[in-house]
Coordinates of all heavy atoms in Angstrom, one line a residue:
M1 N -105.5 -152.7 -52.1 CA -104.2 -152.5 -52.5 C -103.9 -153.6 -53.5 O -104.3 -154.7 -53.4 CB -103.3 -152.7 -51.2 CG -101.8 -152.5 -51.5 SD -100.8 -152.4 -50.1 CE -101.6 -153.2 -48.8
T2 N -103.1 -153.2 -54.5 CA -102.8 -154.2 -55.6 C -101.3 -154.5 -55.5 O -100.9 -155.6 -56.1 CB -103.1 -153.7 -57.0 OG1 -102.4 -152.5 -57.2 CG2 -104.6 -153.4 -57.1
A3 N -100.5 -153.7 -54.9 CA -99.0 -154.0 -54.8 C -98.4 -153.2 -53.6 O -98.8 -152.1 -53.4 CB -98.3 -153.6 -56.1
A4 N -97.5 -153.9 -53.0 CA -96.8 -153.2 -51.9 C -95.4 -153.8 -51.8 O -95.2 -154.8 -51.1 CB -97.5 -153.4 -50.6
D5 N -94.5 -153.3 -52.6 CA -93.1 -153.8 -52.7 C -92.2 -152.7 -52.0 O -91.9 -151.7 -52.7 CB -92.7 -154.0 -54.1 CG -93.6 -155.0 -54.9 OD1 -94.0 -156.0 -54.2 OD2 -93.9 -154.7 -56.0
P6 N -91.9 -152.9 -50.7 CA -91.1 -151.8 -50.0 C -89.9 -151.3 -50.8 O -89.1 -152.1 -51.3 CB -90.7 -152.5 -48.7 CG -91.7 -153.6 -48.5 CD -92.1 -154.1 -49.9
G7 N -89.9 -150.0 -50.9 CA -88.8 -149.3 -51.5 C -88.9 -149.3 -53.1 O -88.0 -148.7 -53.7
E8 N -89.9 -150.0 -53.6 CA -90.0 -150.1 -55.1 C -91.4 -149.5 -55.6 O -91.4 -148.8 -56.5 CB -89.9 -151.5 -55.5 CG -88.5 -152.0 -55.3 CD -88.3 -153.5 -55.8 OE1 -89.2 -153.9 -56.6 OE2 -87.4 -154.2 -55.3
R9 N -92.5 -150.0 -55.0 CA -93.8 -149.8 -55.6 C -94.9 -149.9 -54.6 O -94.8 -150.8 -53.7 CB -94.0 -150.7 -56.7 CG -95.3 -150.6 -57.4 CD -95.3 -151.5 -58.7 NE -95.4 -152.9 -58.3 CZ -96.3 -153.7 -58.9 NH1 -97.1 -153.2 -59.9 NH2 -96.4 -155.0 -58.6
F10 N -95.9 -149.1 -54.7 CA -97.1 -149.1 -54.0 C -98.3 -148.8 -54.9 O -98.2 -147.8 -55.7 CB -97.1 -148.1 -52.8 CG -98.4 -148.1 -52.1 CD1 -98.8 -149.1 -51.2 CD2 -99.2 -147.0 -52.2 CE1 -100.0 -149.0 -50.6 CE2 -100.5 -146.9 -51.5 CZ -100.8 -147.9 -50.7
A11 N -99.3 -149.6 -55.0 CA -100.4 -149.4 -55.9 C -101.8 -149.8 -55.2 O -101.8 -150.7 -54.4 CB -100.2 -150.2 -57.2
F12 N -102.8 -149.1 -55.6 CA -104.2 -149.5 -55.1 C -105.2 -149.1 -56.2 O -105.0 -148.2 -57.0 CB -104.4 -148.8 -53.8 CG -104.4 -147.3 -53.9 CD1 -105.6 -146.6 -54.1 CD2 -103.2 -146.6 -53.7 CE1 -105.6 -145.2 -54.1 CE2 -103.2 -145.2 -53.7 CZ -104.4 -144.5 -54.0
R13 N -106.4 -149.7 -56.1 CA -107.5 -149.4 -57.0 C -108.6 -148.7 -56.2 O -108.9 -149.1 -55.0 CB -108.1 -150.7 -57.6 CG -107.2 -151.2 -58.6 CD -107.9 -152.4 -59.4 NE -107.0 -152.9 -60.4 CZ -106.4 -154.1 -60.3 NH1 -106.6 -154.8 -59.2 NH2 -105.5 -154.4 -61.2
V14 N -109.3 -147.8 -56.8 CA -110.5 -147.2 -56.3 C -111.7 -147.8 -56.9 O -111.8 -147.8 -58.2 CB -110.5 -145.6 -56.5 CG1 -111.8 -145.0 -56.0 CG2 -109.3 -145.0 -55.8
R15 N -112.6 -148.4 -56.1 CA -113.7 -149.1 -56.7 C -115.1 -148.5 -56.2 O -116.1 -149.2 -56.4 CB -113.6 -150.6 -56.3 CG -112.4 -151.2 -57.0 CD -112.3 -152.7 -56.5 NE -111.1 -153.2 -56.9 CZ -111.0 -154.3 -57.8 NH1 -112.1 -154.8 -58.2 NH2 -109.8 -154.7 -58.1
A16 N -115.0 -147.4 -55.5 CA -116.3 -146.8 -55.0 C -116.0 -145.3 -54.8 O -114.9 -144.9 -54.4 CB -116.8 -147.5 -53.8
I17 N -117.1 -144.5 -55.0 CA -117.0 -143.1 -54.7 C -118.1 -142.7 -53.8 O -119.3 -143.2 -53.9 CB -117.1 -142.3 -56.0 CG1 -115.9 -142.6 -56.9 CG2 -117.2 -140.8 -55.7 CD1 -116.0 -141.9 -58.3
G18 N -117.8 -141.9 -52.8 CA -118.8 -141.4 -51.9 C -118.1 -140.7 -50.7 O -117.0 -141.2 -50.3
L19 N -118.7 -139.7 -50.2 CA -118.0 -138.9 -49.1 C -118.0 -139.7 -47.8 O -117.0 -139.9 -47.1 CB -118.7 -137.6 -48.9 CG -118.5 -136.6 -50.0 CD1 -119.2 -135.3 -49.8 CD2 -117.0 -136.3 -50.2
R20 N -119.2 -140.2 -47.4 CA -119.2 -140.9 -46.1 C -119.5 -142.4 -46.3 O -119.2 -143.2 -45.5 CB -120.3 -140.3 -45.3 CG -119.9 -138.9 -44.9 CD -120.5 -138.5 -43.6 NE -119.9 -137.3 -43.2 CZ -120.5 -136.2 -42.9 NH1 -121.8 -136.1 -43.0 NH2 -119.9 -135.1 -42.6
R21 N -120.2 -142.7 -47.4 CA -120.4 -144.1 -47.8 C -120.4 -144.2 -49.3 O -120.7 -143.3 -50.0 CB -121.8 -144.6 -47.2 CG -122.9 -143.8 -47.7 CD -124.2 -144.3 -47.0 NE -125.3 -143.4 -47.3 CZ -126.1 -143.5 -48.3 NH1 -125.9 -144.5 -49.2 NH2 -127.1 -142.7 -48.6
P22 N -120.1 -145.4 -49.8 CA -120.1 -145.6 -51.3 C -121.4 -145.3 -51.9 O -122.4 -145.8 -51.5 CB -119.7 -147.0 -51.5 CG -119.0 -147.4 -50.2 CD -119.7 -146.6 -49.1
V23 N -121.4 -144.4 -52.9 CA -122.6 -144.0 -53.6 C -122.6 -144.7 -55.0 O -123.6 -145.1 -55.5 CB -122.8 -142.5 -53.7 CG1 -124.0 -142.1 -54.6 CG2 -122.9 -141.9 -52.4
L24 N -121.4 -144.7 -55.5 CA -121.2 -145.2 -56.9 C -120.1 -146.3 -56.8 O -119.0 -146.0 -56.4 CB -120.7 -144.1 -57.8 CG -120.4 -144.5 -59.3 CD1 -121.6 -145.0 -59.9 CD2 -119.9 -143.3 -60.0
R25 N -120.5 -147.5 -57.1 CA -119.5 -148.7 -57.0 C -119.1 -149.1 -58.4 O -119.9 -149.0 -59.3 CB -120.1 -149.8 -56.3 CG -120.4 -149.5 -54.8 CD -121.0 -150.8 -54.1 NE -121.4 -150.5 -52.8 CZ -120.6 -150.6 -51.7 NH1 -119.3 -150.9 -51.9 NH2 -121.0 -150.3 -50.5
G26 N -117.9 -149.6 -58.6 CA -117.4 -150.1 -59.8 C -116.0 -149.6 -60.0 O -115.5 -148.8 -59.3
P27 N -115.4 -150.1 -61.1 CA -114.0 -149.6 -61.4 C -113.9 -148.1 -61.6 O -114.7 -147.6 -62.4 CB -113.6 -150.4 -62.6 CG -114.7 -151.4 -62.9 CD -115.9 -151.0 -62.1
I28 N -113.0 -147.4 -60.9 CA -112.9 -146.0 -61.0 C -111.5 -145.6 -61.5 O -111.3 -145.0 -62.6 CB -113.2 -145.3 -59.7 CG1 -114.5 -145.7 -59.0 CG2 -113.1 -143.8 -59.9 CD1 -115.7 -145.3 -59.8
A29 N -110.5 -146.0 -60.7 CA -109.1 -145.6 -61.1 C -108.1 -146.5 -60.3 O -108.4 -147.1 -59.3 CB -108.8 -144.2 -60.7
T30 N -106.9 -146.6 -60.9 CA -105.8 -147.3 -60.3 C -104.7 -146.3 -60.1 O -104.4 -145.5 -61.0 CB -105.3 -148.5 -61.1 OG1 -106.4 -149.4 -61.3 CG2 -104.1 -149.2 -60.4
W31 N -104.1 -146.2 -58.9 CA -103.0 -145.3 -58.5 C -101.8 -146.2 -58.3 O -101.9 -147.2 -57.6 CB -103.3 -144.5 -57.3 CG -104.5 -143.6 -57.5 CD1 -105.8 -143.8 -57.3 CD2 -104.4 -142.3 -58.0 NE1 -106.5 -142.7 -57.6 CE2 -105.7 -141.7 -58.0 CE3 -103.3 -141.4 -58.4 CZ2 -106.0 -140.5 -58.5 CZ3 -103.6 -140.1 -58.8 CH2 -104.9 -139.7 -58.8
E32 N -100.6 -145.7 -58.8 CA -99.4 -146.4 -58.5 C -98.3 -145.4 -58.2 O -98.2 -144.4 -58.9 CB -99.0 -147.3 -59.7 CG -97.7 -148.1 -59.5 CD -97.4 -149.0 -60.6 OE1 -97.6 -148.7 -61.8 OE2 -97.0 -150.1 -60.3
Y33 N -97.4 -145.8 -57.3 CA -96.3 -145.0 -56.9 C -95.1 -145.9 -57.1 O -95.0 -147.0 -56.5 CB -96.4 -144.5 -55.5 CG -97.5 -143.6 -55.3 CD1 -98.8 -144.1 -55.0 CD2 -97.4 -142.2 -55.4 CE1 -99.9 -143.2 -54.8 CE2 -98.5 -141.3 -55.2 CZ -99.7 -141.9 -54.9 OH -100.8 -141.1 -54.8
R34 N -94.1 -145.4 -57.8 CA -92.8 -146.2 -58.0 C -91.7 -145.3 -57.5 O -91.7 -144.1 -57.6 CB -92.6 -146.5 -59.5 CG -93.5 -147.5 -60.0 CD -93.0 -148.1 -61.4 NE -93.9 -149.2 -61.8 CZ -93.6 -150.4 -61.5 NH1 -92.5 -150.8 -60.9 NH2 -94.4 -151.4 -61.9
F35 N -90.8 -146.0 -56.8 CA -89.6 -145.4 -56.1 C -88.3 -145.9 -56.7 O -88.2 -147.1 -56.9 CB -89.7 -145.7 -54.6 CG -91.0 -145.4 -54.0 CD1 -91.9 -146.4 -53.8 CD2 -91.3 -144.1 -53.6 CE1 -93.2 -146.1 -53.3 CE2 -92.6 -143.8 -53.1 CZ -93.5 -144.8 -52.9
E36 N -87.4 -145.0 -57.1 CA -86.1 -145.4 -57.7 C -85.1 -144.4 -57.2 O -85.4 -143.3 -57.0 CB -86.2 -145.5 -59.2 CG -86.6 -144.3 -59.9 CD -86.8 -144.5 -61.4 OE1 -86.3 -145.4 -62.0 OE2 -87.4 -143.6 -62.0
P37 N -83.8 -144.9 -57.1 CA -82.8 -144.0 -56.7 C -82.6 -142.9 -57.7 O -82.7 -143.1 -58.9 CB -81.5 -144.9 -56.7 CG -82.1 -146.3 -56.6 CD -83.4 -146.3 -57.3
A38 N -82.3 -141.7 -57.2 CA -82.0 -140.6 -58.0 C -80.6 -140.1 -57.8 O -80.0 -140.4 -56.8 CB -83.0 -139.5 -57.7
E39 N -80.1 -139.3 -58.7 CA -78.8 -138.7 -58.6 C -78.7 -137.9 -57.3 O -79.7 -137.3 -56.9 CB -78.4 -137.8 -59.7 CG -78.0 -138.6 -61.0 CD -77.5 -137.6 -62.0 OE1 -76.8 -136.7 -61.7 OE2 -77.8 -137.9 -63.2
G40 N -77.6 -138.0 -56.6 CA -77.4 -137.2 -55.4 C -77.9 -137.9 -54.1 O -78.0 -137.3 -53.1
G41 N -78.3 -139.1 -54.3 CA -78.8 -139.9 -53.1 C -80.2 -139.8 -52.8 O -80.7 -140.3 -51.8
G42 N -81.0 -139.0 -53.6 CA -82.4 -138.9 -53.3 C -83.2 -140.1 -53.9 O -82.7 -141.1 -54.3
T43 N -84.5 -139.9 -53.9 CA -85.4 -140.9 -54.5 C -86.3 -140.2 -55.5 O -86.9 -139.2 -55.2 CB -86.3 -141.5 -53.4 OG1 -85.4 -142.2 -52.4 CG2 -87.2 -142.6 -53.9
R44 N -86.5 -140.8 -56.7 CA -87.4 -140.3 -57.7 C -88.7 -141.1 -57.4 O -88.7 -142.3 -57.4 CB -86.9 -140.6 -59.1 CG -87.9 -140.2 -60.1 CD -87.5 -140.5 -61.5 NE -86.1 -140.1 -61.8 CZ -85.7 -138.9 -62.2 NH1 -86.6 -138.0 -62.4 NH2 -84.5 -138.7 -62.5
V45 N -89.8 -140.3 -57.3 CA -91.1 -140.9 -57.1 C -91.9 -140.6 -58.3 O -92.1 -139.5 -58.8 CB -91.9 -140.3 -55.9 CG1 -93.2 -140.9 -55.7 CG2 -91.0 -140.5 -54.6
T46 N -92.5 -141.7 -58.9 CA -93.3 -141.5 -60.1 C -94.7 -142.0 -59.7 O -94.9 -143.1 -59.2 CB -92.8 -142.4 -61.3 OG1 -91.5 -142.0 -61.6 CG2 -93.7 -142.2 -62.5
E47 N -95.7 -141.1 -59.9 CA -97.1 -141.4 -59.6 C -97.8 -141.6 -60.9 O -97.7 -140.7 -61.8 CB -97.7 -140.2 -58.8 CG -99.2 -140.5 -58.4 CD -99.7 -139.3 -57.6 OE1 -99.1 -138.2 -57.5 OE2 -100.8 -139.5 -57.0
T48 N -98.6 -142.6 -61.0 CA -99.3 -142.9 -62.2 C -100.8 -143.1 -61.9 O -101.1 -143.8 -60.9 CB -98.8 -144.2 -62.9 OG1 -97.4 -144.0 -63.1 CG2 -99.5 -144.4 -64.2
W49 N -101.7 -142.5 -62.7 CA -103.1 -142.7 -62.5 C -103.6 -143.3 -63.8 O -103.3 -142.9 -64.9 CB -103.8 -141.4 -62.2 CG -105.2 -141.4 -62.4 CD1 -106.2 -141.9 -61.6 CD2 -106.0 -140.9 -63.5 NE1 -107.4 -141.7 -62.1 CE2 -107.3 -141.1 -63.3 CE3 -105.6 -140.3 -64.7 CZ2 -108.3 -140.7 -64.2 CZ3 -106.6 -139.9 -65.6 CH2 -107.9 -140.1 -65.3
T50 N -104.5 -144.4 -63.6 CA -105.1 -145.0 -64.8 C -106.6 -144.9 -64.6 O -107.1 -145.3 -63.6 CB -104.7 -146.5 -64.9 OG1 -103.3 -146.6 -65.0 CG2 -105.3 -147.1 -66.1
D51 N -107.3 -144.4 -65.6 CA -108.7 -144.3 -65.6 C -109.3 -145.7 -65.9 O -109.1 -146.3 -67.0 CB -109.2 -143.3 -66.7 CG -110.7 -143.0 -66.6 OD1 -111.4 -143.7 -65.9 OD2 -111.1 -142.0 -67.2
D52 N -110.0 -146.3 -64.9 CA -110.5 -147.7 -65.0 C -112.0 -147.6 -65.4 O -112.6 -148.7 -65.4 CB -110.4 -148.4 -63.7 CG -108.9 -148.7 -63.4 OD1 -108.1 -148.8 -64.3 OD2 -108.6 -148.9 -62.2
R53 N -112.5 -146.5 -65.9 CA -113.9 -146.4 -66.2 C -114.2 -146.8 -67.7 O -115.1 -146.3 -68.3 CB -114.4 -145.0 -65.9 CG -114.2 -144.5 -64.5 CD -114.5 -143.1 -64.3 NE -113.7 -142.3 -65.2 CZ -114.1 -141.1 -65.6 NH1 -115.3 -140.5 -65.2 NH2 -113.4 -140.3 -66.4
R54 N -113.4 -147.6 -68.2 CA -113.5 -148.0 -69.7 C -114.9 -148.5 -70.0 O -115.4 -148.4 -71.1 CB -112.4 -148.9 -70.1 CG -111.1 -148.3 -70.1 CD -110.0 -149.2 -70.5 NE -109.7 -150.3 -69.4 CZ -109.0 -150.1 -68.4 NH1 -108.3 -149.0 -68.2 NH2 -108.8 -151.0 -67.5
A55 N -115.6 -149.2 -69.1 CA -116.9 -149.8 -69.3 C -118.0 -148.8 -69.2 O -119.1 -149.1 -69.5 CB -117.1 -151.0 -68.4
W56 N -117.7 -147.6 -68.7 CA -118.7 -146.6 -68.5 C -119.2 -146.1 -69.9 O -118.3 -145.8 -70.7 CB -118.2 -145.4 -67.7 CG -118.0 -145.7 -66.2 CD1 -117.7 -146.9 -65.6 CD2 -118.0 -144.7 -65.2 NE1 -117.5 -146.7 -64.3 CE2 -117.7 -145.4 -64.0 CE3 -118.3 -143.3 -65.2 CZ2 -117.7 -144.7 -62.8 CZ3 -118.3 -142.7 -64.0 CH2 -117.9 -143.3 -62.8
P57 N -120.4 -145.8 -70.1 CA -120.8 -145.1 -71.3 C -120.2 -143.7 -71.4 O -120.1 -143.1 -70.3 CB -122.4 -145.0 -71.2 CG -122.7 -146.1 -70.2 CD -121.6 -146.2 -69.3
D58 N -119.8 -143.3 -72.5 CA -119.1 -142.0 -72.6 C -120.0 -140.8 -72.0 O -119.4 -139.9 -71.4 CB -118.8 -141.6 -74.1 CG -117.6 -142.5 -74.6 OD1 -116.9 -143.1 -73.8 OD2 -117.5 -142.5 -75.8
A59 N -121.3 -140.9 -72.3 CA -122.1 -139.8 -71.8 C -122.1 -139.8 -70.2 O -122.1 -138.7 -69.6 CB -123.6 -140.0 -72.3
L60 N -122.2 -140.9 -69.6 CA -122.2 -141.0 -68.2 C -120.9 -140.5 -67.6 O -120.8 -139.7 -66.7 CB -122.5 -142.4 -67.7 CG -122.4 -142.7 -66.2 CD1 -123.4 -141.8 -65.4 CD2 -122.5 -144.2 -65.9
A61 N -119.8 -140.9 -68.2 CA -118.4 -140.5 -67.8 C -118.3 -139.0 -67.9 O -117.8 -138.3 -67.1 CB -117.3 -141.2 -68.5
G62 N -118.8 -138.4 -69.0 CA -118.7 -137.0 -69.2 C -119.5 -136.2 -68.2 O -119.0 -135.2 -67.7
V63 N -120.7 -136.6 -67.9 CA -121.5 -136.0 -66.9 C -120.8 -136.1 -65.5 O -120.7 -135.1 -64.8 CB -122.9 -136.6 -66.8 CG1 -123.7 -136.1 -65.6 CG2 -123.7 -136.2 -68.1
F64 N -120.4 -137.3 -65.2 CA -119.6 -137.4 -63.9 C -118.4 -136.5 -63.8 O -118.2 -135.8 -62.8 CB -119.2 -138.9 -63.8 CG -118.3 -139.1 -62.5 CD1 -118.9 -139.3 -61.3 CD2 -117.0 -139.1 -62.6 CE1 -118.2 -139.5 -60.2 CE2 -116.2 -139.3 -61.5 CZ -116.8 -139.5 -60.3
D65 N -117.7 -136.4 -64.9 CA -116.5 -135.6 -64.9 C -116.8 -134.1 -64.7 O -116.2 -133.5 -63.9 CB -115.7 -135.7 -66.3 CG -115.0 -137.0 -66.5 OD1 -115.1 -137.9 -65.6 OD2 -114.5 -137.2 -67.6
R66 N -117.8 -133.6 -65.3 CA -118.2 -132.2 -65.2 C -118.7 -131.9 -63.7 O -118.4 -130.9 -63.2 CB -119.2 -131.8 -66.2 CG -118.7 -131.7 -67.6 CD -119.6 -131.0 -68.6 NE -120.8 -131.9 -68.8 CZ -120.8 -132.9 -69.7 NH1 -119.7 -133.3 -70.3 NH2 -121.9 -133.6 -69.9
I67 N -119.3 -132.9 -63.1 CA -119.8 -132.7 -61.8 C -118.7 -132.8 -60.8 O -118.5 -132.0 -59.9 CB -121.0 -133.7 -61.4 CG1 -122.2 -133.3 -62.2 CG2 -121.3 -133.6 -59.9 CD1 -123.3 -134.4 -62.2
A68 N -117.9 -133.9 -60.9 CA -116.9 -134.2 -59.9 C -115.7 -133.3 -60.0 O -115.0 -133.0 -59.0 CB -116.4 -135.7 -60.1
T69 N -115.4 -132.7 -61.1 CA -114.2 -131.9 -61.3 C -114.5 -130.4 -61.5 O -113.6 -129.6 -61.9 CB -113.4 -132.4 -62.5 OG1 -114.1 -132.2 -63.7 CG2 -113.1 -133.9 -62.4
R70 N -115.8 -130.0 -61.4 CA -116.2 -128.6 -61.6 C -115.9 -128.1 -63.0 O -115.3 -127.0 -63.1 CB -115.7 -127.8 -60.5 CG -116.2 -128.1 -59.1 CD -115.8 -127.1 -58.1 NE -116.4 -127.5 -56.9 CZ -115.8 -127.8 -55.8 NH1 -114.5 -127.9 -55.8 NH2 -116.4 -128.1 -54.7
G71 N -116.1 -129.0 -64.0 CA -116.0 -128.5 -65.4 C -114.8 -129.0 -66.1 O -114.6 -128.7 -67.3
H72 N -113.8 -129.6 -65.4 CA -112.6 -130.1 -66.1 C -112.8 -131.5 -66.6 O -113.7 -132.2 -66.1 CB -111.4 -130.0 -65.1 CG -111.1 -128.7 -64.6 ND1 -110.4 -127.7 -65.3 CD2 -111.4 -128.1 -63.4 CE1 -110.4 -126.6 -64.6 NE2 -110.9 -126.8 -63.4
T73 N -111.9 -131.9 -67.5 CA -111.9 -133.4 -67.8 C -111.3 -134.1 -66.6 O -110.5 -133.5 -65.9 CB -111.1 -133.7 -69.1 OG1 -109.7 -133.4 -68.8 CG2 -111.6 -132.9 -70.3
F74 N -111.7 -135.3 -66.5 CA -111.2 -136.1 -65.4 C -109.6 -136.3 -65.5 O -108.9 -136.2 -64.5 CB -111.8 -137.5 -65.3 CG -111.9 -138.1 -64.0 CD1 -112.5 -137.4 -62.9 CD2 -111.4 -139.4 -63.8 CE1 -112.6 -138.0 -61.7 CE2 -111.5 -140.0 -62.5 CZ -112.1 -139.3 -61.5
A75 N -109.1 -136.4 -66.7 CA -107.7 -136.6 -66.8 C -106.9 -135.3 -66.4 O -105.9 -135.3 -65.7 CB -107.3 -136.9 -68.3
D76 N -107.5 -134.1 -66.8 CA -106.8 -132.8 -66.4 C -106.9 -132.6 -64.9 O -106.0 -132.2 -64.3 CB -107.5 -131.6 -67.1 CG -107.1 -131.5 -68.6 OD1 -106.1 -132.1 -69.0 OD2 -107.9 -130.9 -69.3
F77 N -108.0 -133.0 -64.3 CA -108.2 -132.9 -62.9 C -107.2 -133.8 -62.2 O -106.6 -133.4 -61.2 CB -109.7 -133.4 -62.6 CG -110.0 -133.4 -61.1 CD1 -110.3 -132.2 -60.4 CD2 -110.2 -134.6 -60.4 CE1 -110.6 -132.2 -59.1 CE2 -110.5 -134.6 -59.1 CZ -110.8 -133.4 -58.4
Q78 N -107.0 -135.0 -62.7 CA -106.1 -135.9 -62.0 C -104.6 -135.5 -62.2 O -103.8 -135.6 -61.3 CB -106.3 -137.4 -62.5 CG -107.6 -137.9 -62.1 CD -107.9 -138.0 -60.6 OE1 -107.2 -137.4 -59.8 NE2 -109.0 -138.6 -60.2
R79 N -104.3 -134.9 -63.4 CA -102.9 -134.4 -63.6 C -102.6 -133.4 -62.5 O -101.5 -133.3 -62.0 CB -102.8 -133.8 -65.0 CG -102.5 -134.9 -66.0 CD -102.1 -134.2 -67.4 NE -102.5 -135.1 -68.4 CZ -103.7 -135.1 -69.0 NH1 -104.6 -134.1 -68.8 NH2 -104.0 -135.9 -70.0
R80 N -103.5 -132.5 -62.3 CA -103.3 -131.4 -61.2 C -103.2 -132.1 -59.9 O -102.4 -131.7 -59.1 CB -104.5 -130.5 -61.3 CG -104.3 -129.2 -60.6 CD -105.3 -128.1 -60.9 NE -106.7 -128.5 -61.2 CZ -107.2 -128.6 -62.5 NH1 -106.5 -128.2 -63.5 NH2 -108.4 -129.0 -62.7
N81 N -104.0 -133.1 -59.6 CA -103.9 -133.8 -58.3 C -102.6 -134.5 -58.1 O -102.0 -134.5 -57.0 CB -105.0 -134.8 -58.1 CG -106.4 -134.2 -57.9 OD1 -106.5 -133.0 -57.5 ND2 -107.4 -134.9 -58.2
I82 N -102.1 -135.1 -59.2 CA -100.8 -135.8 -59.1 C -99.7 -134.8 -58.8 O -98.8 -135.0 -57.9 CB -100.5 -136.5 -60.5 CG1 -101.3 -137.7 -60.6 CG2 -99.0 -136.8 -60.6 CD1 -101.3 -138.4 -62.0
R83 N -99.7 -133.6 -59.4 CA -98.6 -132.6 -59.1 C -98.7 -132.2 -57.7 O -97.7 -132.0 -57.0 CB -98.8 -131.4 -60.0 CG -98.3 -131.6 -61.4 CD -98.2 -130.3 -62.2 NE -99.5 -129.7 -62.5 CZ -100.2 -130.1 -63.6 NH1 -99.8 -131.0 -64.4 NH2 -101.4 -129.5 -63.8
T84 N -99.9 -132.0 -57.2 CA -100.1 -131.6 -55.8 C -99.7 -132.7 -54.8 O -99.0 -132.4 -53.8 CB -101.6 -131.3 -55.5 OG1 -102.0 -130.2 -56.4 CG2 -101.9 -130.9 -54.1
T85 N -100.0 -133.9 -55.1 CA -99.6 -135.0 -54.2 C -98.1 -135.2 -54.2 O -97.5 -135.3 -53.1 CB -100.2 -136.4 -54.7 OG1 -101.7 -136.3 -54.7 CG2 -99.8 -137.5 -53.9
L86 N -97.5 -135.1 -55.3 CA -96.0 -135.2 -55.3 C -95.3 -134.1 -54.6 O -94.3 -134.3 -53.9 CB -95.5 -135.4 -56.8 CG -95.9 -136.7 -57.4 CD1 -95.4 -136.7 -58.9 CD2 -95.3 -137.9 -56.7
A87 N -95.8 -132.9 -54.8 CA -95.2 -131.7 -54.1 C -95.4 -131.9 -52.6 O -94.5 -131.6 -51.8 CB -95.9 -130.4 -54.6
N88 N -96.6 -132.3 -52.1 CA -96.8 -132.5 -50.7 C -95.9 -133.6 -50.1 O -95.4 -133.5 -49.0 CB -98.3 -132.8 -50.4 CG -99.2 -131.6 -50.6 OD1 -98.7 -130.5 -50.6 ND2 -100.5 -131.8 -50.9
L89 N -95.8 -134.7 -50.9 CA -94.9 -135.8 -50.5 C -93.5 -135.3 -50.3 O -92.8 -135.6 -49.3 CB -95.0 -136.9 -51.5 CG -94.1 -138.2 -51.2 CD1 -94.5 -138.8 -49.9 CD2 -94.3 -139.2 -52.3
K90 N -93.0 -134.6 -51.3 CA -91.6 -134.0 -51.3 C -91.4 -133.1 -50.1 O -90.5 -133.3 -49.3 CB -91.3 -133.2 -52.6 CG -89.9 -132.7 -52.7 CD -89.8 -131.9 -54.0 CE -88.4 -131.5 -54.4 NZ -87.6 -130.9 -53.4
K91 N -92.4 -132.2 -49.8 CA -92.3 -131.3 -48.7 C -92.3 -132.1 -47.4 O -91.5 -131.8 -46.5 CB -93.5 -130.4 -48.7 CG -93.5 -129.3 -47.6 CD -94.7 -128.4 -47.7 CE -94.7 -127.5 -46.5 NZ -95.9 -126.6 -46.6
A92 N -93.2 -133.1 -47.2 CA -93.2 -133.9 -46.0 C -91.9 -134.6 -45.7 O -91.4 -134.7 -44.6 CB -94.4 -134.8 -46.0
L93 N -91.4 -135.2 -46.8 CA -90.1 -136.0 -46.6 C -88.9 -135.2 -46.4 O -87.9 -135.6 -45.8 CB -90.0 -136.9 -47.8 CG -91.0 -138.0 -47.9 CD1 -90.8 -138.8 -49.2 CD2 -91.0 -138.9 -46.7
E94 N -88.9 -133.9 -46.9 CA -87.7 -133.1 -46.8 C -87.8 -132.2 -45.5 O -86.8 -131.5 -45.2 CB -87.6 -132.2 -48.0 CG -87.2 -133.1 -49.2 CD -87.0 -132.3 -50.5 OE1 -87.4 -131.1 -50.5 OE2 -86.5 -132.8 -51.5
T95 N -88.9 -132.1 -44.8 CA -89.0 -131.3 -43.6 C -88.5 -132.1 -42.4 O -88.9 -133.3 -42.2 CB -90.5 -131.0 -43.4 OG1 -91.0 -130.3 -44.5 CG2 -90.7 -130.1 -42.1
P96 N -87.5 -131.5 -41.7 CA -87.0 -132.3 -40.5 C -88.1 -132.6 -39.5 O -89.0 -131.8 -39.3 CB -86.0 -131.3 -39.9 CG -85.7 -130.3 -41.0 CD -86.9 -130.2 -41.9
A97 N -88.0 -133.7 -38.9 CA -88.9 -134.1 -37.8 C -88.8 -133.2 -36.6 O -87.7 -132.7 -36.3 CB -88.7 -135.5 -37.4
A98 N -89.9 -132.8 -36.0 CA -89.9 -131.9 -34.9 C -89.4 -132.5 -33.6 O -89.4 -133.7 -33.4 CB -91.3 -131.4 -34.6

């Protein structure tokens, strides 16, 4: 975790990839969620993803992207993930507790 400011911001870095154990270690990505009041009393959530693989050779990053994302660029893959995460968060927060 890189930041945890209640009601304002939560951020973390991913430094390893692997399903059950880290297979690939090193800077991968940074995720950040910012929370701010929205009109009508709600909360605006902004999710940001930063590709931390700047030190990776382009060829290696390209091969990784094609394998990990089934043919999409990593940025396009993450944009889709961001939309899904925010929609799931909205649904969870707007669903009354059982």
Side-chain angles (χ1 to χ4, degrees):
M1 181 171 23
T2 62
D5 305 317
E8 293 179 23
R9 177 172 78 129
F10 173 72
F12 62 93
R13 285 192 182 107
V14 176
R15 295 175 189 244
I17 294 176
L19 293 177
R20 296 207 167 124
R21 61 184 171 85
V23 175
L24 179 61
R25 294 182 186 272
I28 308 295
T30 301
W31 294 90
E32 181 175 39
Y33 298 83
R34 290 196 172 263
F35 310 95
E36 59 186 338
E39 282 189 41
T43 301
R44 177 185 311 275
V45 180
T46 303
E47 180 179 15
T48 305
W49 165 77
T50 303
D51 189 347
D52 292 335
R53 303 173 305 153
R54 291 178 291 276
W56 290 29
D58 289 344
L60 176 61
V63 168
F64 175 83
D65 288 358
R66 285 190 295 282
I67 293 169
T69 67
R70 296 187 173 116
H72 300 282
T73 67
F74 209 54
D76 287 341
F77 178 75
Q78 295 302 7
R79 277 188 209 94
R80 198 169 26 257
N81 287 341
I82 286 171
R83 283 192 293 276
T84 300
T85 299
L86 292 175
N88 289 339
L89 179 61
K90 182 179 190 316
K91 181 179 176 183
L93 293 174
E94 291 178 349
T95 302

